[in-house]
Amino acid sequence: MTGLVVEGGGMKCAYTAGILDGFLDSGIHFDYAIGVSAGASCIASFLAGQKDRNRRFFVDHIDDSGYMGFSSLLKSGSFFGLEYIYMDMTGSKGKDPLDYEKMMNSGTDFRIVATDAKTGKPHYFRKEEIKKDDYRFFMATCALPVMCKPVKIYEREFFDGGCSDSIPYAKALRDGCDKIVVVLCRPLDTVRTPQKYMGLIRRKLKDYPETVKDLLHRHESYNDQLRGLKELVEEGKAYVFAPEQNLDINTYTKDKKKLQSFYDLAESDYLKKEESFKEFFSK
């Protein structure tokens, strides 16, 4: 079974959008897919076969007043307008709706990673739990601590999945994948540094001490995951798409030209790697 694993990264996932559109152009189908934060929402559009939809969300729509910014923070309590993006825009009557039926009928076992705000543990929502026009699972996996309020589902609160399982390839392997394709939006040689502003984070998240612990140690777990991923590549069990550089883009970038360039870079990277990727994929 071949699995697709996609990390999060906010606006950095413009790169992810370009790689997944390359998969669509090539008619690639995965048995299993698991995504974190914006990476999970990218998978949804991919499974629905909606080429260019992800690019639009990282480039065309970012000037919408409800998308992100301090006006959204004041209005909704979240820097990213999660309800605007994943309910208003994504719903069947929204500005850029997700093709729910195609996503659900894709034949791919799809999981969405979120972090239980109280326990700090990862929670893996299944595709079958998603109801049409109720996309709180995507809101939950994208709810960055401090910058966003936790999202309540099943009477529990959830934060961004990257807090507890940034690159969830281990879950894919546990679920039966014998090889995986991993899409990163940071270079593979990234070395994550300790979280800044931990004093502020502790104050803002005083009701969620286990999530604070996740953030305190996130750089260690992320770097460990990258080391493990490199070993899987050497063993021939994993294939990785990752940019060689970040093009001065971060989680909150709103520069359309930079974001479009990152998407274009991904399209170019996919074409360069297409032959070796298909060879890995077809084995």
Side-chain angles (χ1 to χ4, degrees):
M1 183 166 74
T2 302
L4 171 64
V5 179
V6 183
E7 75 164 339
M11 305 311 290
K12 287 191 183 80
C13 285
Y15 184 87
T16 303
I19 297 297
L20 297 191
D21 277 354
F23 293 161
L24 286 175
D25 285 339
S26 296
I28 299 297
H29 172 82
F30 293 93
D31 305 301
Y32 176 101
I34 185 167
V36 178
S37 196
S41 64
C42 284
I43 291 175
S45 296
F46 167 69
L47 296 183
Q50 292 176 277
K51 184 181 177 182
D52 199 53
R53 182 174 185 271
N54 286 324
R55 187 203 62 80
R56 295 196 296 273
F57 272 85
F58 292 112
V59 180
D60 296 351
H61 300 325
I62 62 172
D63 288 335
D64 288 13
S65 60
Y67 192 98
M68 71 171 170
F70 289 104
S71 60
S72 174
L73 185 63
L74 292 173
K75 182 179 179 181
S76 68
S78 295
F79 184 84
F80 285 99
L82 299 180
E83 187 163 347
Y84 176 74
I85 295 169
Y86 293 113
M87 303 293 264
D88 298 346
M89 293 180 73
T90 298
S92 55
K93 295 182 180 179
K95 180 178 180 179
D96 202 336
L98 175 68
D99 191 329
Y100 173 82
E101 285 76 16
K102 280 197 71 175
M103 178 189 70
M104 296 301 289
N105 295 324
S106 64
T108 299
D109 184 2
F110 176 29
R111 311 294 175 90
I112 300 167
V113 187
T115 299
D116 187 304
K118 288 295 187 182
T119 69
K121 301 295 184 183
H123 187 92
Y124 305 99
F125 295 108
R126 302 177 67 100
K127 180 177 71 175
E128 292 76 15
E129 297 175 77
I130 305 172
K131 306 301 181 185
K132 188 171 184 177
D133 294 339
D134 182 359
Y135 299 122
R136 285 174 296 161
F137 301 108
F138 297 112
M139 292 172 59
T141 189
C142 292
L144 289 166
V146 178
M147 299 304 287
C148 297
K149 297 185 298 184
V151 175
K152 183 172 284 189
I153 302 173
Y154 303 145
E155 299 305 314
R156 298 196 67 81
E157 292 178 310
F158 294 92
F159 280 123
D160 190 295
C163 301
S164 55
D165 196 356
S166 295
I167 316 172
Y169 60 83
K171 173 64 174 171
L173 296 174
R174 291 197 301 271
D175 284 345
C177 294
D178 46 44
K179 59 181 179 179
I180 54 173
V181 176
V182 181
V183 181
L184 304 177
C185 56
R186 302 169 179 83
L188 187 55
D189 62 359
T190 293
V191 177
R192 200 159 195 144
T193 56
Q195 177 71 50
K196 297 179 180 178
Y197 312 117
M198 281 304 302
L200 172 64
I201 289 171
R202 286 190 178 95
R203 289 196 298 274
K204 290 289 187 180
L205 301 180
K206 57 183 173 56
D207 294 330
Y208 308 103
E210 296 304 317
T211 295
V212 171
K213 287 181 185 178
D214 284 342
L215 296 174
L216 180 63
H217 297 289
R218 188 181 182 190
H219 66 291
E220 298 167 349
S221 59
Y222 187 86
N223 294 335
D224 285 345
Q225 285 183 319
L226 281 186
R227 281 190 287 270
L229 180 57
K230 290 173 185 176
E231 291 176 3
L232 290 174
V233 170
E234 292 175 0
E235 294 168 6
K237 296 179 181 178
Y239 190 99
V240 176
F241 286 96
E244 293 184 2
Q245 54 185 332
N246 274 326
L247 299 184
D248 192 28
I249 290 174
N250 62 39
T251 303
Y252 309 103
T253 295
K254 289 191 71 173
D255 187 316
K256 286 189 174 185
K257 288 185 178 179
K258 286 183 179 180
L259 293 166
Q260 181 65 53
S261 294
F262 212 28
Y263 173 88
D264 294 341
L265 175 64
E267 284 199 315
S268 175
D269 284 355
Y270 179 77
L271 291 174
K272 289 176 185 176
K273 292 185 170 185
E274 185 175 16
E275 186 175 343
S276 62
F277 163 64
K278 287 185 175 179
E279 183 180 349
F280 169 86
F281 190 82
S282 62
K283 286 180 181 178

